Amino acid sequence: MDVYELGEGPAEVAVVAAIHGDEPCGVHAVERLVAEEPDVERTVKLVVANEEALEAEVRYLEADLNRSFPGDPDAGAHEVRLAHRLRSELVGCTTLAIHSTRSYAEPFAVVDSMDEVARAVAPHLPVDAVIQTDAFTEGRLIEHPHTIEIEAGLQGSEAAADNAYWVTRAFLAATGALPAPGSDDVIDAGGREDVPVFRLRDRISKPDAEEYEVFARNFERVEAGDRFATADGEPLRAEEPFYPVLLSAYGYRDQFGYVAERVGAIE
């Protein structure tokens, strides 16, 4: 784990990259910020978490880090020990954790619940939606208080790296650590009043097959009876209306993604 600090004194804000070693977009954002050496109003901690998996270009070495929190310093698995170290680094920090996905090209935010931090920060981020995952957060970093995850875009793409940087800048502006891009002062990042919020309800199982295809679009309503995917050409149809989230043909081994319901918007 590599840790950088901007400013002096105890860190109040943190950005975490490379929780998964095959998602380098956050590392580019961290390196870009470190190189810029910006003047900060609040001390910021920048963390490159799983350096070993990043170097090996794999998601993890022994255990999924984002299913290993709170961790154990005496565990046999590298990522379980690392989870304990990382969580200790983040005590007292409002935290942004940067990820990427195979299912959606634009940034969206993921939270455990719509707490005061999510409501205050998320409207100021350049995201398409906020996903509440409280039923599916066991072992994930977003169980840590005051933590927001960002899916920055398609895994391994230049666009995801660029998105990660600008989302990070917006997060640091929204938390009062940096000026908003283009401003000389620490100001409000420019809020939005129409960020839709979805809550995950269930997993979408993926049957055994050689080839998969998806037809539904993430965050767009699928009606009952609609074909949303195929497995070896056999259509899969919705039993009831839902909003798909993280829907992808090959993103997960045993599921297409998640069934979600739209629960409102952050205003």
Side-chain angles (χ1 to χ4, degrees), residues 1 17-21 48-55 58-61 63 65 78-79 82:
M1 184 167 62
I19 285 179
H20 292 135
V48 177
N50 200 342
E51 290 182 286
E52 293 84 355
L54 183 69
E55 183 176 352
V58 296
R59 187 173 180 83
Y60 56 82
L61 299 183
L65 177 56
H78 161 70
E79 279 84 5
L82 182 59

Side-chain angles (χ1 to χ4, degrees), residues 170-188:
F171 170 77
L172 295 177
T175 53
L178 276 182
S183 172
D184 293 331
D185 300 308
V186 178
I187 61 171
D188 183 82

Side-chain angles (χ1 to χ4, degrees), residues 38-228:
D39 292 328
V40 294
E41 295 295 322
R42 303 175 71 190
T43 301
V44 178
K45 186 175 289 187
L46 305 171
V47 182
V48 177
N50 200 342
E51 290 182 286
E52 293 84 355
L54 183 69
E55 183 176 352
E57 298 182 347
V58 296
R59 187 173 180 83
Y60 56 82
L61 299 183
E62 298 174 300
D64 189 334
L65 177 56
N66 210 29
R67 301 296 184 272
S68 298
F69 293 95
D72 181 346
D74 300 317
H78 161 70
E79 279 84 5
V80 181
R81 297 191 304 272
L82 182 59
H84 176 80
R85 290 176 56 204
L86 178 56
R87 194 168 184 270
S88 298
E89 287 284 349
L90 300 177
V91 171
C93 290
T94 301
T95 301
L96 178 74
I98 304 173
H99 292 267
S100 56
T101 177
R102 295 184 180 182
S103 65
Y104 196 72
E106 300 302 322
F108 61 91
V110 182
V111 299
D112 178 26
S113 61
M114 290 305 302
D115 62 13
E116 67 277 10
V117 172
R119 292 183 181 278
V121 174
H124 304 287
L125 304 180
V127 297
D128 283 359
V130 176
I131 311 303
Q132 183 178 338
T133 64
D134 53 316
F136 301 92
T137 56
E138 185 176 358
R140 293 176 60 170
L141 181 59
I142 52 174
E143 288 187 307
H144 176 79
H146 302 168
T147 298
I148 296 176
E149 283 187 0
I150 288 293
E151 296 286 353
L154 295 177
Q155 188 172 323
S157 68
E158 292 184 9
D162 198 48
N163 290 341
Y165 172 78
W166 289 111
V167 170
T168 298
R169 285 295 307 266
F171 170 77
L172 295 177
T175 53
L178 276 182
S183 172
D184 293 331
D185 300 308
V186 178
I187 61 171
D188 183 82
R192 292 168 53 191
E193 297 181 353
D194 60 346
V195 181
V197 180
F198 299 86
R199 185 172 185 266
L200 300 189
R201 195 174 70 218
D202 203 355
R203 294 180 173 90
I204 305 173
S205 297
K206 180 190 287 184
D208 289 334
E210 295 295 324
E211 295 184 358
Y212 303 96
E213 191 171 2
V214 298
F215 302 99
R217 295 177 178 271
N218 284 283
F219 311 126
E220 295 185 11
R221 182 180 169 94
V222 175
E223 300 296 340
D226 284 355
R227 182 184 66 163
F228 65 86

